[in-house]
Amino acid sequence: MFPHLFSPLTIGGVTLANRVVSSGHDTVMADHGQVTDRLVAYHEARARGGAGLIVVQVAGVHETARYTSHVLMATDDTCIDGYRALAAAVKPHGTALFGQLFHPGREVMDLADGTLTVAVAPSAVPTERFRVMPRPLRLAEIREIIDGYGQAAARLQRAGLDGVEVVASHGYLPSQFLNPAVNLRTDEFGSTQEGRLRFLREAFESIRRHCGPGFVAGLRISLDERDPAGLPADIALAASVSLAADGLADYLSVTTGTSASLAGSDHIAPDLSSPNGYVAPLSAKLRAAVSVPVLVAGRINQPQEAEHIIAAGQADACVMTRAMICDPDMPGLARAGQTDDIRACIGCNQACIGHFHLGFPISCIQHPETGRERLYGIRRPARRPKQVMVVGGGPAGLKAAAVAAERGHDVTLYEASGRVGGQVLLAERLPGRAEFGGAIANLSREVHRAGVTVRLRGPVDLPAVLEQAPDLVVVATGARPYRPPLEVMDGPWIADAWEVIRDPGSAPAGKIVVADFRGDWTGLGTARLLAAAGHEVTLAVRGYAAGESLQQYVRDRLLAAVSRQRITVLPLVRPYGADDDTVYLQHVLTEEPVLVENVAGLVLACGSFPSGELLAALESAGVPAVGIGDCLAPRTVEEAVLDGLVAASDI
Ligand code: SF4
């Protein structure tokens, strides 16, 4: 089905079996700078699934490159055994393996002991996102770092990797050297464009010197950093062309964005508001100017998109990293024509880059087996097949039903309404979040493939369970909106966010206050929905800012939309009461009243309340039952799906 995507591609002296690439992405699976068994298992799953090339996450080339407490380091020979284990696990599957060589320059996030590091850069120019002022590198340090690229590459070569990639993307150190707004040096590493390119050129020369001519060395670069102070696109393009023309870069991997600014960083892992394959026009421009292979990233989450990009000549291979975080088997399924069975990434960013930002190993909300390969990577067949009744067709129930049936149990899933999906059916109705509903399409497919019997419009109570007499009941009955106690006078219009999402037209004309408890998509999305319907909206949030519990890139995009829609955000307030034209809030720190007047109504996005009645009844009656998802405690889709996996793996 995908003749271009599944044709071989030669890069330097290495031939990839296909053009599906997992690019370097920090997994938070390194330990003390070293490759771990967990990281090996993670990448082996992607190799087994059919990836043509895996580029391992960044590895520091110098002691000053520790940008997080969990970065890999390739600064001494102790790294070799770990990389060797990676190569031994990945390459037998026919997948080529490269490593990323990295220095963040001023883009540092944290240190292991919680203190701030002394960041370095070509010049003392601050970075906006992490609000860091670096010190200028000394000449001797620059030469040490350049030598570090060569030494690190040689270690990876000795470990059996096929090549390395110099990370000049996203505003990291090589990009800082290239950027005239960041590199103010007047020595040989600055002054002119050739001087600003010297760092990168000498880094490649160092790799060539240490590794010899046959070892692949590529360049990752942002052709548009999407930041007014970022690396100008024409300079990035010229540098890429020059390194390729001089035989230094064997391939060019094109991305976009920068770590240095909030808006620029949103392109590091663009969320579902970015169009699929939106970077391809940039890679096409570069591909027309060079003769080496060009790779491209940018929310390419389905093989159809990748095939189109390659067939159109916009790139030679496609970076599909999150597509394989979500479904490691995606390449093999695509090649076999089983496209309906691919679990497509929905661009939510919650468990992949979201976990990374929180300092936890990455995973996927739809596929919690990711990052937990050693525990859940292989389904254990049930020792004794059981009759399992799953009550509730939200994400938790769907996952539990699919996994239990895959293990050989006889599973029937009961959903009280006419459609499975639970709260995802609300989330997908919010502005810009239609793709989120893909999570239910994917889980439903898993349920179907596993042979689960699904009964819709089938509310289940204790007598119904006793009549069926299953071996086990998995209770996934979800949650319902929570209403905090309020002082109410004169009959104000008050509604739960869920009601408004289902029927935005139900809100009376005029100004609406949305009271937001969790700082997630519910309050923000409801506010946007009402603003789009013509209401003046005030979003009253309990925390420091709207969207506080969302992954940064997702939050940024939503906050930008909120700003464009002229929604007023009131931080640090809780709802206290309402009358027919005023909403009374209370400052959470001072307890002083905050009034919003001339209001037509109040919408409560105040979290939810567990629907745990069936679970309690079963437990009282001594019926074997296990609760999962929001009926235990309302959380997110991620925890619901993980609960389903864990519970069903134990049956
Ligand atoms: Fe994609 Fe969301 Fe999974 Fe990340 S957590 S891989 S964005 S579906």
Side-chain angles (χ1 to χ4, degrees):
M1 282 178 75
F2 305 108
H4 295 87
L5 189 59
F6 291 102
S7 63
L9 173 69
T10 299
I11 298 179
V14 175
T15 298
L16 313 184
N18 64 59
R19 295 159 185 244
V20 180
V21 179
S22 172
S23 65
H25 55 287
D26 204 329
T27 57
V28 197
M29 294 182 204
D31 186 21
H32 290 86
Q34 303 281 327
V35 171
T36 59
D37 292 347
R38 185 175 191 166
L39 183 62
V40 172
Y42 169 80
H43 282 302
E44 184 176 10
R46 273 87 208 147
R48 196 186 309 117
L53 168 65
I54 288 175
V55 185
V56 185
Q57 66 196 70
V58 295
V61 298
H62 188 262
E63 271 308 307
T64 52
R66 292 182 188 272
Y67 83 134
T68 67
S69 55
H70 39 78
V71 66
L72 274 179
M73 296 297 285
T75 44
D76 63 49
D77 288 356
T78 60
C79 73
I80 294 174
D81 283 350
Y83 275 103
R84 193 171 277 142
L86 259 179
V90 165
K91 291 176 65 174
H93 295 283
T95 303
L97 186 66
F98 297 172
Q100 280 190 328
L101 303 182
F102 179 70
H103 197 298
R106 59 185 184 160
E107 298 302 318
V108 291
M109 292 169 71
D110 65 75
L111 279 184
D113 67 355
T115 61
L116 294 176
T117 190
V118 176
V120 295
S123 307
V125 177
T127 175
E128 180 181 275
R129 179 164 162 234
F130 300 126
R131 286 161 284 180
V132 164
M133 173 58 89
R135 73 160 173 81
L137 282 161
R138 294 182 281 272
L139 263 180
E141 288 174 315
I142 295 174
R143 297 209 168 95
E144 262 182 38
I145 294 170
I146 287 171
D147 189 54
Y149 279 95
Q151 293 207 30
R155 292 185 184 107
L156 270 52
Q157 185 183 33
R158 279 163 60 196
L161 272 67
D162 299 299
V164 290
E165 181 175 281
V166 175
V167 181
S169 59
H170 300 123
Y172 297 123
L173 185 61
S175 156
Q176 292 160 33
F177 269 99
L178 277 176
N179 187 346
V182 180
N183 181 352
L184 310 180
R185 302 181 75 92
T186 53
D187 59 17
E188 67 261 43
F189 288 96
S191 302
T192 63
Q193 200 45 47
E194 197 47 42
R196 290 187 284 270
L197 180 57
R198 183 182 305 279
F199 177 84
L200 206 39
R201 183 179 292 283
E202 292 194 6
F204 271 95
E205 287 168 353
S206 172
I207 294 167
R208 296 294 179 204
R209 208 165 40 249
H210 281 86
C211 299
F215 193 57
V216 171
L219 174 75
R220 188 146 212 240
I221 193 154
S222 297
L223 279 190
D224 182 348
E225 291 196 349
R226 314 216 181 224
D227 174 14
L231 174 63
D234 59 333
I235 295 178
L237 189 84
S240 307
V241 170
S242 171
L243 294 171
D246 294 346
L248 291 171
D250 292 316
Y251 73 94
L252 304 164
S253 181
V254 174
T255 181
T256 183
T258 176
S259 168
S261 67
L262 287 176
S265 67
D266 295 347
H267 294 272
I268 294 175
D271 79 348
L272 71 177
S273 63
S274 294
N276 296 118
Y278 73 109
V279 185
L282 290 176
S283 64
K285 204 169 161 189
L286 178 59
R287 190 169 183 268
V290 297
S291 54
V292 299
V294 172
L295 284 49
V296 68
R299 230 165 88 69
I300 306 168
N301 65 347
Q302 288 277 35
Q304 294 87 343
E305 186 71 41
E307 175 70 15
H308 170 75
I309 288 169
I310 298 169
Q314 293 178 301
D316 297 284
C318 286
V319 169
M320 305 179 74
T321 307
R322 280 177 294 171
M324 287 184 281
I325 292 175
C326 186
D327 192 341
D329 296 325
M330 181 275 291
L333 290 169
R335 187 166 40 199
Q338 293 175 245
T339 49
D340 287 349
D341 292 339
I342 292 171
R343 184 186 310 104
C345 167
I346 54 174
C348 70
N349 278 359
Q350 183 173 333
C352 46
I353 188 115
H355 276 205
F356 162 63
H357 283 168
L358 294 172
F360 298 113
I362 65 164
S363 187
C364 173
I365 69 162
Q366 300 191 76
H367 188 62
E369 291 90 337
T370 289
R372 301 179 176 93
E373 281 79 9
R374 299 175 78 215
L375 263 180
Y376 298 112
I378 295 169
R379 295 272 183 270
R380 278 179 301 108
R383 277 203 212 114
R384 183 176 71 81
K386 292 182 178 171
Q387 199 191 341
V388 178
M389 190 172 184
V390 178
V391 185
L398 289 167
K399 183 68 178 181
V403 173
E406 284 168 19
R407 294 186 54 227
H409 296 296
D410 177 8
V411 182
T412 304
L413 182 144
Y414 294 82
E415 164 56 36
S417 74
R419 257 182 94 189
V420 297
Q423 292 172 54
V424 176
L425 301 179
L426 294 172
E428 69 178 357
R429 298 173 79 119
L430 293 173
R433 290 185 73 83
E435 197 173 338
F436 199 77
I440 294 306
N442 293 331
L443 283 165
S444 297
R445 183 76 186 163
E446 289 176 39
V447 160
H448 176 76
R449 275 168 61 194
V452 175
T453 303
V454 177
R455 301 247 185 273
L456 298 177
R457 296 187 185 82
V460 171
D461 54 13
L462 179 60
V465 172
L466 294 175
E467 191 186 322
Q468 295 282 332
D471 295 311
L472 179 73
V473 187
V474 178
V475 183
T477 41
R480 51 187 181 269
Y482 173 71
R483 280 201 174 195
L486 295 174
E487 290 196 9
V488 176
M489 295 165 290
D490 304 329
W493 182 84
I494 301 178
D496 298 315
W498 293 19
E499 296 167 54
V500 174
I501 295 169
R502 284 194 191 100
D503 181 12
S506 60
K511 189 199 290 187
I512 303 287
V513 174
V514 178
D516 174 17
F517 171 69
R518 278 172 55 157
D520 62 2
W521 52 268
T522 319
L524 267 169
T526 308
R528 292 196 59 211
L529 201 63
L530 289 166
H535 294 276
E536 182 184 344
V537 180
T538 295
L539 178 59
V541 302
R542 207 72 68 100
Y544 297 100
E548 221 170 46
S549 62
L550 295 171
Q551 190 272 333
Q552 181 218 311
Y553 309 154
V554 176
R555 180 177 65 235
D556 290 350
R557 294 288 173 95
L558 285 168
L559 291 182
V562 160
S563 174
R564 285 189 200 103
Q565 289 182 281
R566 305 286 184 258
I567 294 169
T568 302
V569 178
L570 285 180
L572 297 171
V573 288
R574 63 171 73 98
Y576 185 83
D579 60 28
D580 58 351
D581 75 346
T582 302
V583 168
Y584 300 87
L585 306 165
Q586 188 179 42
H587 197 280
V588 299
L589 300 178
T590 66
E591 297 185 8
E592 288 170 351
V594 178
L595 271 54
V596 187
E597 295 171 313
N598 303 317
V599 165
L602 169 65
V603 176
L604 297 169
C606 291
S608 40
F609 186 85
S611 295
E613 292 81 0
L614 177 64
L615 182 62
L618 294 172
E619 285 171 349
S620 299
V623 176
V626 57
I628 58 172
D630 278 8
C631 78
L632 290 180
R635 288 155 293 158
T636 74
V637 172
E638 178 182 1
E639 292 82 15
V641 177
L642 176 60
D643 280 5
L645 170 67
V646 172
S649 300
D650 278 350
I651 300 171

